[in-house]
Amino acid sequence: MITIETRIRGESLFAMCEQCSSLFSRLERLLFKALYVRMEKLIDAKRRFIAEHRITARQFNSVHRQFESKVESWKEVRKLNLAKVDRQIEKIHRAISAAKSPFVVHQKKRRLQLLLARKSRLERELEAKVPSICFGSRALFREQFHLGESGHANHAAWRKEWCARRASSFFVLGSADETCGNQTCQYRDGALHLRLPDALGGETVAVPVVFRYREQDFLAALTPIRQKLTRGPRKGTEIECCSAVSYRFIRRGDHWSVQAMFDVPAAPIATECMLGCVGIDLNPWGLALARIDRSGNPVDHSDRSWSVDRRTDDQIKAAIGDAVRDAVLVALTHRVPVAIERLDLAARKAEDRGPGVNRMLSAFAYGAFAQMIRGRCAREGVELIEVNPAFTSVIGRGKFANGYGLSVHRASACAIAQIGRAHV
């Protein structure tokens, strides 16, 4: 699934977006209270919300999907934090066993007690029936107790920003069996036709937008195709349907933007492993790239570096995206697949490699790289091979570094390419 975004043209539509966002965000909190606090059944809550708040069934499903995604995200973050605390506890135990100074042992034990208390708190939060979710972010909620430090003139100013943050977006769920992939919001003639809830008039409003990035993929997702049903009472019947397209309206400062989310089928594979392979060795400073021929000999190698020091996450991701694009284009030009390591960044962060490397790893967007390389390869029709990272550096150093005069990282990339080509 990909997401494209564009600005909404026309400031006259911003008031309508504000009304929809305020309504849906309030319904989201009310639904959370009904399902998790009052333990109401979903089907009963759906009937009641449709009647009381004058919304459609699809609009209710959008609200439900929106807050359920927040609950799932909250749980996953707690699980990741719990796994991180477990690794830290294990590391502290090893440090206590190896320490010789009583002072160091005492400080490590103090740190251990703090980690154990944090672990106990995370376990209690995961076991609780009601997720501890703060709609609007906890950081902004705490600012009301420190108005001067947070830059708010008074509590009314903070409350205004708090309400604006809670009502800064709303979601419109799509489905493949609906016209244009969405019943509530449909793209036609250069505009999104958004159906408002009955509580806001129930009319359909045209929102002019232009999706300049990947517009052809967006239009292809809206094009109906004939598909044969494989189950149900209508099994064997051919119907016309298109891809499900969901939309998210978001306030960005003084304007509103809209995101379109849809699936794009992967391009057919245009590479052949018999011609060679491109190996990528991933490092905190950048990529080491090496291409081998059909005999396994390196014929091309280079580095794609980026800097993470004093740069924002968006700048780091942009640099990673440029490096990924160049690497995939090299593979596409020579019609060879790409091989990467199946790396666990969490395990690498658990290792103490010194403050400098640890700082780079903490700021290094490995998840962004994995997502970008998979998406780019699927888009360009390049086969992606993930290999076991065990001993790739050792193999590269012994087999390629000295014989071909390569750096350790480029030699490791050669080893990754050779292992990937052998496993196809």
Side-chain angles (χ1 to χ4, degrees), residues 150-357:
S150 58
H152 299 288
N154 47 44
H155 193 270
W158 168 87
R159 183 173 178 80
K160 182 179 179 180
E161 182 178 351
W162 168 253
C163 294
R165 176 73 65 84
R166 301 180 92 180
S168 59
S169 67
F170 64 95
F171 180 68
V172 183
L173 181 65
S175 179
D177 59 351
E178 297 171 351
T179 305
C180 296
N182 199 303
Q183 184 187 80
T184 308
C185 186
Q186 299 176 356
Y187 181 80
R188 298 189 305 270
D189 301 327
L192 290 173
H193 297 265
L194 176 66
R195 178 185 176 184
L196 301 180
D198 292 339
L200 299 179
E203 59 182 1
T204 300
V205 179
V207 182
V209 293
V210 176
F211 291 100
R212 301 189 183 278
Y213 176 70
R214 304 194 71 169
E215 182 182 10
Q216 296 301 322
D217 293 331
F218 176 61
L219 296 177
L222 298 177
T223 303
I225 58 175
R226 298 195 65 84
Q227 189 175 21
K228 182 178 292 186
L229 299 177
T230 59
R231 58 183 179 179
R234 300 174 60 191
K235 182 178 179 180
T237 306
E238 287 190 356
I239 62 173
E240 285 191 353
C241 64
C242 55
S243 300
V245 183
S246 299
Y247 301 94
R248 187 185 304 277
F249 293 77
I250 307 174
R251 185 196 301 114
R252 304 284 194 192
D254 59 348
H255 67 275
W256 279 81
S257 298
V258 59
Q259 294 178 343
M261 293 155 279
F262 53 93
D263 289 323
V264 176
I269 299 297
T271 58
E272 299 180 17
C273 63
M274 295 302 296
L275 300 177
C277 186
V278 170
I280 298 178
D281 181 44
L282 187 59
N283 300 279
W285 53 263
L287 304 178
L289 188 71
R291 180 173 65 89
I292 62 174
D293 58 14
R294 65 181 66 216
S295 301
N297 301 317
V299 293
D300 189 15
H301 49 83
S302 61
D303 292 334
R304 304 287 194 275
S305 61
W306 56 70
S307 175
V308 299
D309 191 21
R310 294 188 297 274
R311 302 185 75 181
T312 64
D313 291 342
D314 292 337
Q315 291 174 331
I316 296 174
K317 290 180 180 180
I320 294 175
D322 293 340
V324 167
R325 178 200 58 202
D326 295 340
V328 174
L329 289 181
V330 169
L332 184 63
T333 302
H334 298 279
R335 296 178 56 211
V336 295
V338 173
I340 63 173
E341 293 178 312
R342 286 193 304 267
L343 293 179
D344 184 5
L345 187 62
R348 297 186 70 178
K349 288 170 110 176
E351 303 175 8
D352 189 3
R353 304 184 175 206
V357 177

Side-chain angles (χ1 to χ4, degrees), residues 142-159:
R142 295 192 185 102
E143 289 184 3
Q144 65 175 315
F145 307 111
H146 309 280
L147 297 176
E149 299 175 2
S150 58
H152 299 288
N154 47 44
H155 193 270
W158 168 87
R159 183 173 178 80

